[in-house]
Amino acid sequence: MFKIIVLFSAIVILYCAEISAQPQYQMSVANVERVSNTVYEFDVFIKSVNQNFHLTSYQCALSFSQSVINNGSLNFIYLQGTSELLYLPPLTAVGLISTYGSYVLTFASFAESELITQSQKKVGRFRLTNTVPFTNNEINIRWRFIGLINTILTGSTFQDITNPDNHLNLSNPTSFSLTVPVYDGWNLVSIPGLHPINQSINTWWINRDPNAGVYAINGGFQSVNTVEPGTGYWLKNIGYTIYNTGDEWPSEGIQYITNQPISVFQGWNLIGTYDYTVNTASITTTPAGLQSGFVYSYNSGYRIANTLVPGYGYFIYLSSGGLVNLPDPAFQKSGIVNNNIKSDWGKIVITDNSGKSSELYLAPQNTDVSKYFMPPVPFEGMYDIRFSNGGFVESLNSEFHKIQLSGVEFPLTVSVSNIEINIFDEAKGNIYSRLSSGDEIRIVNATSTLTVSLNTIPGDYRLEQNFPNPFNPVTQIKFSVPEDGMVKVKVFNLLGQEINTLFNEEALKGVYVINWNGTDYLGQNVSSGVYIYRMEAGQFIKSMKMVLLK
């Protein structure tokens, strides 16, 4: 369906006796007519809602992309003599400029003191002419009153001009076509308008898994039965489905809604755009500066999103409650979001057997890694790889870094760039390899946690005091190996009886951390008391005490 989006707003200065008495108004579009295959005309009306006021100036703005006008060029004029405004000046300004890849048209009239009452007045009739035929017999004119349009206001007492509810769309049609591919399993989705039947989750997604809920987020995942525009949701679909107007959705399309700012709370929020794509670099908040970090989509793992696409859901983090403003397409910035990852940072690439891949980074000391924190860990069985700090970047302030794995398919391939590390399975005591920049290894045995240590070569053998001590239920034991060789770490009771073997591997030189969870060889919990742990490596033998308290 051919659509042209019209933005109308009014610049007003009021002469009000009482500041507390705030006028309200409505502007509307009506009588849209296709004059020929290259010409459309339409009327604009204005009226007061609650009290009379004087309009001293106004401006109308129209935005549309080149693609929707069949790659033609447009001309826009006011039809002289069609306005019912009494104080219209002899010369009416009309302009058409191109910016941000779209056209922006302005119509300005500077009246003397126009009285606006509750009786509707015609601002005027306007003509839109294309150099080539429009591609459809229908035109959709509707309000866009968001983003930078708000900045044209004057008059401190007249604030309801920013209320989108004061702008009426009287043109037809009021719906738009929509196609949204949804994959098998969990997806982040949203609704960019209203379904003409109802907003039930079963109406919107006929192939959703009936045994799984649809979830919004509000301090945690919450199951919902109905959905609303502007909010994002987790949806579990059965099979791959292309939800499409005329197939899964009605042939008349999805109904437009007023595109208002999205109300958000402190923390992670799930949002969706309306019926148009939004560049995430153009998103603003009210109050300003609430956004922290990046906007994330989910596609075989969380990914930094450069655009919000209608029909999909996105995570965004806010430092406090407020509003997220999605700018009109005519006023969006272009380009890719700068993630500030430096080319010389250490990089770890982990790819599972199904081809899903994640990139983790080790940044210089004192790097603010909080801006790289990722959204909440998704549902069980879903692919997710991150550092234990909750993000995809860690600082070299620490010698050891844990990597958490969820929903991955083994074996894994691990490669590194710009850094040398040791990588091992701390929980099972399996040392995989020491990796230099450009190296790659395969990890066959399934695990949920990998530990990365910087490839620091110690000067001698060391066995350090466990931490915490006393402990319950798990403690860590750190040891250092200055050269490659066989290393054993075992646990004994005070009678000298061997309780468990924590490490028994050919170790590459480096620093290691292993865990003991207070169990014996059979996996049975041992009793509270004092235990001895001993390290043997060549001629080096050392024992230390630790205390288990229950």
Side-chain angles (χ1 to χ4, degrees):
M1 182 179 298
F2 177 77
K3 296 181 284 292
I4 290 182
I5 302 167
V6 178
L7 301 88
F8 281 92
S9 54
I11 303 178
V12 294
I13 300 176
L14 302 175
Y15 300 93
C16 299
E18 297 184 25
I19 294 179
S20 60
Q22 180 172 285
Q24 297 181 12
Y25 78 101
Q26 288 182 343
M27 294 186 72
S28 58
V29 175
N31 305 323
V32 180
E33 178 186 1
R34 183 183 176 97
V35 178
S36 70
N37 62 355
T38 60
V39 177
Y40 276 98
E41 292 182 0
F42 55 90
D43 294 331
V44 176
F45 294 90
I46 187 171
K47 70 176 182 177
S48 169
V49 174
N50 61 345
Q51 60 177 288
N52 297 347
F53 64 92
H54 287 90
L55 175 68
T56 60
S57 65
Y58 63 90
Q59 183 180 55
C60 304
L62 161 67
S63 75
F64 44 87
S65 67
Q66 180 73 29
S67 60
V68 300
I69 61 172
N70 198 19
N71 294 315
S73 298
L74 294 182
N75 181 44
F76 178 79
I77 63 171
Y78 158 68
L79 299 181
Q80 296 291 333
T82 60
S83 177
E84 295 178 349
L85 299 179
L86 299 178
Y87 296 97
L88 194 70
L91 181 62
T92 300
V94 177
L96 185 63
I97 61 175
S98 179
T99 181
Y100 299 122
S102 298
Y103 288 100
V104 175
L105 176 151
T106 60
F107 168 83
S109 172
F110 300 96
E112 296 179 7
S113 185
E114 191 74 41
L115 180 65
I116 303 300
T117 70
Q118 295 185 27
S119 296
Q120 184 169 267
K121 282 187 177 182
K122 183 191 290 188
V123 175
R125 188 161 182 83
F126 300 88
R127 177 176 296 161
L128 196 62
T129 304
N130 197 358
T131 56
V132 299
F134 289 110
T135 57
N136 199 292
N137 291 326
E138 296 177 320
I139 183 172
N140 184 53
I141 300 176
R142 60 194 178 86
W143 295 113
R144 279 265 201 252
F145 204 70
I146 55 176
L148 296 183
I149 294 298
N150 291 340
T151 64
I152 67 173
L153 305 179
T154 60
S156 61
T157 64
F158 197 91
Q159 297 175 3
D160 275 349
I161 191 171
T162 63
N163 185 351
D165 293 335
N166 289 337
H167 300 263
L168 300 182
N169 171 24
L170 302 182
S171 62
N172 289 307
T174 59
S175 59
F176 62 97
S177 299
L178 182 65
T179 299
V180 181
V182 174
Y183 295 88
D184 183 52
W186 288 102
N187 295 257
L188 284 178
V189 297
S190 65
I191 61 171
L194 297 179
H195 197 291
I197 298 177
N198 59 49
Q199 311 319 310
S200 166
I201 56 177
N202 296 320
T203 302
W204 273 100
W205 300 293
I206 61 175
N207 286 338
R208 78 173 191 89
D209 187 342
N211 298 316
V214 174
Y215 296 91
I217 188 171
N218 187 1
F221 294 134
Q222 295 184 347
S223 179
V224 299
N225 294 315
T226 59
V227 288
E228 60 183 18
T231 301
Y233 303 93
W234 278 116
L235 162 79
K236 190 174 185 181
N237 204 58
I238 298 178
Y240 174 72
T241 305
I242 299 179
Y243 289 92
N244 187 49
T245 297
D247 295 319
E248 292 75 16
W249 293 324
S251 58
E252 62 267 27
I254 305 304
Q255 296 174 350
Y256 285 113
I257 65 161
T258 301
N259 304 160
Q260 302 197 48
I262 302 169
S263 179
V264 291
F265 48 85
Q266 191 276 330
W268 285 107
N269 289 256
L270 262 175
I271 66 171
T273 186
Y274 296 102
D275 53 281
Y276 59 97
T277 298
V278 172
N279 190 302
T280 55
S282 301
I283 293 175
T284 61
T285 63
T286 305
L290 297 184
Q291 183 181 346
S292 177
F294 306 103
V295 178
Y296 289 87
S297 62
Y298 186 88
N299 182 10
S300 298
Y302 287 117
R303 313 293 176 188
I304 295 176
N306 290 297
T307 57
L308 308 186
V309 178
Y312 294 100
Y314 301 87
F315 273 102
I316 185 172
Y317 189 90
L318 286 304
S319 58
S320 67
L323 298 174
V324 167
N325 308 307
L326 305 183
D328 183 86
F331 300 100
Q332 292 189 40
K333 300 176 182 177
S334 59
I336 303 299
V337 174
N338 182 10
N339 61 19
N340 296 309
I341 299 294
K342 307 301 181 184
S343 59
D344 60 348
W345 286 8
K347 182 167 73 171
I348 304 170
V349 180
I350 302 177
T351 305
D352 80 348
N353 193 51
S354 69
K356 300 184 181 73
S357 185
S358 295
E359 295 180 355
L360 305 176
Y361 294 88
L362 294 170
Q365 294 185 6
N366 302 321
T367 299
D368 180 11
V369 299
S370 64
K371 67 177 64 176
Y372 304 102
F373 287 172
M374 298 163 62
V377 175
F379 300 105
E380 184 177 357
M382 295 181 65
Y383 176 90
D384 187 77
I385 295 180
R386 64 181 67 198
F387 284 115
S388 59
N389 69 356
F392 65 94
V393 175
E394 262 286 19
S395 170
L396 294 176
N397 292 348
S398 176
E399 188 175 10
F400 291 90
H401 304 284
K402 293 184 179 180
I403 299 174
Q404 298 174 342
L405 311 172
S406 302
V408 297
E409 206 176 289
F410 287 85
L412 304 179
T413 300
V414 182
S415 61
V416 300
S417 304
N418 303 324
I419 200 167
E420 293 186 356
I421 60 172
N422 292 327
I423 185 166
F424 55 97
D425 180 356
E426 174 186 315
K428 298 181 180 179
N430 296 326
I431 306 173
Y432 293 123
S433 185
R434 178 170 63 243
L435 299 178
S436 299
S437 183
D439 287 348
E440 179 180 288
I441 61 167
R442 282 169 61 85
I443 298 176
V444 177
N445 297 326
T447 183
S448 60
T449 305
L450 296 175
T451 298
V452 171
S453 69
L454 302 183
N455 194 16
T456 303
I457 307 302
D460 53 14
Y461 289 100
R462 294 180 186 176
L463 178 65
E464 301 186 17
Q465 185 64 56
N466 66 300
F467 179 84
N469 189 42
F471 70 95
N472 180 26
V474 179
T475 189
Q476 290 188 339
I477 299 171
K478 182 178 179 180
F479 63 91
S480 303
V481 180
E483 58 185 9
D484 299 351
M486 191 68 183
V487 176
K488 297 180 182 179
V489 178
K490 296 186 176 184
V491 178
F492 302 85
N493 61 23
L494 290 180
L495 299 176
Q497 297 170 322
E498 188 172 309
I499 300 298
N500 208 336
T501 297
L502 306 183
F503 195 94
N504 187 11
E505 300 281 346
E506 187 76 22
L508 302 172
K509 52 190 173 185
V511 181
Y512 300 90
V513 173
I514 55 176
N515 289 338
W516 185 44
N517 60 0
T519 59
D520 59 18
Y521 280 114
L522 299 177
Q524 302 295 318
N525 293 324
V526 300
S527 59
S528 299
V530 178
Y531 292 87
I532 307 296
Y533 61 99
R534 184 174 71 193
M535 173 182 172
E536 299 180 11
Q539 300 299 313
F540 176 84
I541 300 176
K542 185 175 181 179
S543 299
M544 301 188 74
K545 293 181 180 180
M546 56 183 169
V547 179
L548 171 61
L549 291 180
K550 295 185 177 179

